[in-house]
Amino acid sequence: MYHVLSAHQFDRIQLDQLFRMADIMEYNAKNGGTNLLQGKIMAALFFEPSTRTRFSFESAMMRLSGSVISTENATQFSSAIKGETLEDSIRVISSYADVIVLRHNEEGAAKRAAQVAGVPVINAGDGSGEHPTQSLLDLYTIQKELGAIDGLKVAMVGDLTYGRTVHSLSYMLAKYEKVTVYFVSPENCPIPEKVKAYLDERGVTYFEETDLEKVSGEVDVLYMTRIQKERFPSGEEYLKAAGKYVINQEIVDGMKPNAIILHPLPRAGEILPEVDGDARAAYFRQATNGVYIRMALLAYCLKEQQLERDLEALA
Ligand code: CP
């Protein structure tokens, strides 16, 4: 059974395969979809709010002719409110669906779910832990926009402690050659030690910085993130970090002509709307890519063995 729990689990061969599949899925999505997952059911179990992840997974499943059962705000609208454990919910939903997409507020929840699930579990974000499918679409977008990932300079900016997307993206980037990472954050929300340890083990060059303007003109990818107000220990700590980094047209004008600006979204003031029309603003294209990469991932989880043959037939 193929669970998607962490960015750690992917190697370069799988990533290249997924990106090729996502290209084919884009073609299919734009040409009426495919019946690759006809008869299959995806359960979307979301204990935290989501717009992109839940809708793009649901859209992906429907474009593969599969069906969707879904609960948003599962904390309130599932039997969790009656005291049911995550494990019991997952055991039961495993008999109703062929794959479970789980977003949860606790780090490690997807791993716990996978230990009792009878079907593949996909981690759609676990607290401040990871968001591996986001980093897949981030990398896919970088490759699509810039042609390659090896050798790039990537700045991750904002709340690097509680922002799970940057953790997964760092783990993924460590699989590529000669990538340089700049972690730009307020002093009270730096990149966690465990992420740096992972990069150290793999010989990835990285720098920590608090001044965005020192790096914005140097990098190929400027990856902005929201300050995660809901995860800070106090309002006072949040206010120390809030509003420190704001991308305006002046900053963008100082960037390389072929650089791109990414953001997992939602944004909360980190990128001014005046930048949206600039060709380097790639964050809405990035969100669109979420459907294609999640189509590829659902197919990968549900068709593991048969997939290569099916894709050949689709191509
Ligand atoms: N990028 C992301 O995870 O967005 P949502 O919270 O809207 O799913």
Side-chain angles (χ1 to χ4, degrees):
M1 198 159 23
Y2 190 82
H3 302 291
V4 179
L5 303 179
S6 166
H8 291 297
Q9 73 190 71
F10 295 96
D11 61 27
R12 278 290 289 266
I13 292 171
Q14 277 176 305
L15 291 171
D16 289 345
Q17 189 187 21
L18 272 171
F19 296 167
R20 281 199 307 276
M21 286 164 60
D23 287 341
I24 296 170
M25 293 306 180
E26 178 173 1
Y27 175 84
N28 277 284
K30 289 177 174 168
N31 289 277
T34 138
N35 61 5
L36 194 63
L37 295 187
Q38 196 160 32
K40 300 285 187 189
I41 297 174
M42 181 190 90
L45 182 60
F46 276 58
F47 288 81
E48 283 190 334
S50 169
T51 297
R52 277 145 293 276
T53 311
R54 189 164 69 86
F55 279 131
S56 64
F57 261 115
E58 294 186 359
S59 171
M61 192 63 180
M62 289 176 185
R63 290 192 188 283
L64 293 162
S65 303
S67 306
V68 173
I69 52 177
S70 183
T71 179
E72 58 174 333
N73 196 359
T75 312
Q76 295 294 318
F77 299 135
S78 76
S79 282
I81 200 161
K82 299 178 221 161
E84 184 166 66
T85 63
L86 175 66
E87 282 79 357
D88 279 0
S89 296
I90 294 291
R91 281 189 187 98
V92 172
I93 295 167
S94 292
S95 64
Y96 301 159
D98 301 291
V99 59
I100 299 171
V101 178
L102 173 68
R103 171 169 288 188
H104 202 276
N105 46 303
E106 287 173 23
E107 190 168 342
K111 196 171 171 194
R112 276 171 49 210
Q115 280 161 358
V116 297
V119 298
V121 171
I122 300 179
N123 181 2
D126 60 335
S128 297
E130 281 208 56
H131 194 348
T133 72
Q134 177 70 45
S135 59
L136 285 172
L137 80 89
D138 295 341
L139 271 192
Y140 177 59
T141 302
I142 294 171
Q143 181 162 298
K144 233 173 152 179
E145 296 274 335
L146 300 178
I149 297 163
D150 292 321
L152 293 181
K153 292 182 177 176
V154 180
M156 299 185 206
V157 183
D159 174 0
L160 306 187
T161 297
Y162 304 107
R164 56 198 171 199
T165 67
V166 291
H167 305 163
S168 292
L169 182 58
S170 300
Y171 298 142
M172 289 270 186
L173 284 171
K175 298 165 199 303
Y176 289 81
E177 301 295 327
K178 295 194 170 87
V179 168
T180 305
V181 182
Y182 299 85
F183 293 118
V184 184
S185 71
E187 276 166 12
N188 66 342
C189 47
I191 195 76
E193 290 300 321
K194 68 178 179 188
V195 177
K196 290 193 283 180
Y198 188 87
L199 299 186
D200 284 334
E201 278 168 29
R202 282 151 189 81
V204 178
T205 305
Y206 64 86
F207 301 95
E208 288 182 273
E209 183 53 74
T210 54
D211 186 349
L212 171 61
E213 292 190 41
K214 277 192 187 160
V215 304
S216 56
E218 300 296 315
V219 297
D220 305 293
V221 179
L222 190 59
Y223 190 97
M224 298 299 297
T225 65
R226 178 176 68 90
I227 304 294
Q228 310 245 320
K229 185 177 184 180
E230 68 277 21
R231 302 194 201 280
F232 272 75
S234 67
E236 199 177 300
E237 281 302 311
Y238 164 72
L239 287 175
K240 281 187 204 166
K244 196 166 164 61
Y245 306 115
V246 177
I247 300 293
N248 56 23
Q249 192 60 46
E250 194 183 332
I251 292 179
V252 176
D253 288 343
M255 290 176 64
K256 290 181 179 178
N258 295 324
I260 53 170
I261 305 162
L262 299 181
H263 193 309
L265 303 176
R267 60 180 158 179
E270 312 78 44
I271 304 177
L272 297 186
E274 68 185 24
V275 172
D276 294 352
D278 194 289
R280 289 166 284 193
Y283 29 91
F284 292 119
R285 299 194 289 276
Q286 176 188 5
T288 303
N289 287 334
V291 174
Y292 312 135
I293 207 79
R294 287 172 173 133
M295 287 174 78
L297 207 52
L298 286 167
Y300 197 88
C301 288
L302 290 170
K303 296 289 244 183
E304 225 181 326
Q305 307 299 328
Q306 205 187 317
L307 194 61
E308 284 294 342
R309 202 171 58 240
D310 285 346
L311 285 169
E312 271 171 30
L314 284 170

